Amino acid sequence: VGIGLAFFIEYLDTSVKTIDDVERALQSPVLGVIPQNVGLLPDEGDESPHAEAYRVLRTNLLFSRKDEKLNTLCVVSAGAGEGKSTTALNLATVFAQAGQRVLLVDSDLRRPALHKFLRVGNTPGLTSYLLKQNSLEEVIQTTRVPNLDFMASGKLPSSSLGILSSARMKDLINELKQRYDFVFFDSPPIMGVSDASILASEVDMT
C-alpha cells in the first residue's frame, strides 16, 4: 500500500522540477538557466560569477536564430518580480561586452525599473518619442557599459496600449533594427495586461 501510495502521489505531482520537465511541458528547448538572486552585470563587471550563465544564454540565442537579420528581442514573463528587467539588462550587457552595438529599451510603461538599475533619468524616453515630443537622438542615452545605449520609458501615459500598438512604434522598431546590432525590450507582465503581447508581436524574438 505504501509503495502504491508513493507512486500515486508522484503521478499526481505535475510541478516542473528539471530542464527535461520544462522542455516536455512546453515543447520548446531551454536556452539557458539563470541562478536566483543574480546581480546586475554593469555593477559587477566582466568577471562577475553570474556572467557565464548569460553568456551561455547569449550563445544559444544566436544559434537558435533562423535568420541573422532577426535582432530585436522582447523579454517577458507571467508575473511581476520574476526578473524580466534584470534579464534584459544583463543579457544586453553581455552582448555589448562581445563588441556588438546594443540598445536597451524600457518598454514597461506600467512599472519601469531599468533607469533605476542604470542610475539615469527616466525622461525623456520612449513615450516622449512616440508622442512626438522629442527626437530619437534626444531619447537615447549612453551608459557606463561600452557599446550599450539606453532608452528609458519616458513619462508614463494614462493608457500604454494605444502607444505600443501605434504605427509610430512599428516604425521605431524598424529604425532601431537598422541602427543597432541588437535591440532588447523590457516588458510588463504578460498576465493581466496586453502590452507584452503587443510587443511580442512586433519584435523578431521573444
Side-chain angles (χ1 to χ4, degrees), residues 18-96:
T18 68
I19 290 176
D20 289 339
D21 291 341
V22 175
E23 294 184 333
R24 194 180 309 111
L26 300 180
Q27 298 294 304
S28 297
V30 171
L31 297 178
V33 178
I34 305 300
Q36 285 186 316
N37 303 317
V38 296
L40 300 174
L41 296 189
D43 295 337
E44 295 186 351
D46 295 359
E47 302 305 317
S48 163
H50 304 126
E52 189 58 33
Y54 288 97
R55 292 191 192 106
V56 170
L57 178 56
R58 171 186 173 273
T59 300
N60 289 337
L61 274 172
L62 293 176
F63 277 122
S64 69
R65 287 191 302 171
K66 294 180 174 65
D67 189 333
E68 289 188 359
K69 295 179 181 177
L70 304 180
N71 66 341
T72 55
L73 187 145
C74 182
V75 179
V76 303
S77 81
E82 294 178 336
K84 288 179 295 299
S85 299
T86 301
T87 298
L89 174 56
N90 286 350
L91 193 56
T93 300
V94 296
F95 270 82

Side-chain angles (χ1 to χ4, degrees), residues 3 114 192:
I3 292 172
L114 287 174

